[in-house]
Amino acid sequence: MQKFLEIGKIVTVHGLKGELKVQPWCDSPEYLCGFKRLYSAQGSTVYEVERARVQGSMVLLKLRGCDTPESAHAMINRILYMDRADAELPEGSYFVADLLGLSVFDEQGKLYGKISDVLQTGANDVYEIKNDNNKSYYIPAIPSVILSTDIEGGKMTIYPMEGLFDED
């Protein structure tokens, strides 16, 4: 499992004191605001968060040492990462990065493909599964369909509801 996970991208500068506008790549802008430290890829640079607040669907972020529009401008297009150890997930919740690539089987062991994307629809997530022929199928991430998820084993077991995997 990856130690550092993408959490957002710096898209522009906000104001004259080095604030950054960040597009969150997580469940909500509020979630991103909960971190005291963010990182560059592989954690080579640590960014200390002085303050963070939600503005619409974005986050306004002030990082220690980024105090001018010029220093903030140099940060545009950087990807910010969180350390997995800094996050607590509720039981039965997973990071998208951990779900991608899981092999999807039914209870009898039939392989349907691998998870290639997680779509957030509002009501529930939807997993895109691609088979060996690169054909996509979509399954709702609901308890009646998802029977078990084994991140370490690289496997998800599902109940294939009628019509989910019908061939054209």
Side-chain angles (χ1 to χ4, degrees), residues 86-156:
D86 293 340
E88 290 184 32
L89 288 178
E91 179 87 22
S93 295
Y94 304 95
F95 291 113
V96 170
D98 294 339
L99 294 170
L100 297 176
L102 288 183
S103 296
V104 179
F105 297 88
D106 65 17
E107 287 181 292
Q108 287 70 45
K110 179 181 178 185
L111 175 64
Y112 289 93
K114 294 183 182 252
I115 297 178
S116 60
D117 199 3
V118 176
L119 310 170
Q120 297 175 330
T121 64
N124 55 265
D125 288 350
V126 173
Y127 300 153
E128 178 183 29
I129 299 169
K130 286 198 177 179
N131 67 14
D132 289 338
N133 297 326
N134 213 29
K135 180 167 174 52
S136 293
Y137 298 96
Y138 298 90
I139 61 169
I142 56 176
S144 61
V145 174
I146 310 301
L147 302 178
S148 68
T149 304
D150 179 3
I151 299 295
E152 290 79 24
K155 177 181 178 180
M156 177 179 284

Side-chain angles (χ1 to χ4, degrees), residues 7-91:
I7 195 165
K9 179 180 180 180
I10 299 169
V11 293
T12 193
V13 174
H14 180 80
L16 301 174
K17 296 184 180 178
E19 277 192 309
L20 305 162
K21 189 175 277 192
V22 177
Q23 177 184 30
W25 290 352
C26 49
D27 285 346
S28 69
E30 292 81 9
Y31 186 76
L32 192 149
C33 289
F35 290 89
K36 302 280 187 226
R37 285 179 305 283
L38 297 170
Y39 303 85
S40 63
Q42 309 305 317
S44 57
T45 303
V46 178
Y47 303 111
E48 297 291 329
V49 177
E50 287 185 7
R51 65 182 175 273
R53 67 185 189 280
V54 175
Q55 183 184 57
S57 63
M58 303 296 268
V59 171
L60 297 181
L61 192 67
K62 174 64 176 79
L63 301 177
R64 187 175 320 273
C66 185
D67 300 315
T68 65
E70 294 78 22
S71 61
H73 194 268
M75 301 280 292
I76 291 175
N77 291 323
R78 287 196 190 172
I79 307 300
L80 297 173
Y81 294 76
M82 56 167 271
D83 186 335
R84 156 187 312 274
D86 293 340
E88 290 184 32
L89 288 178
E91 179 87 22

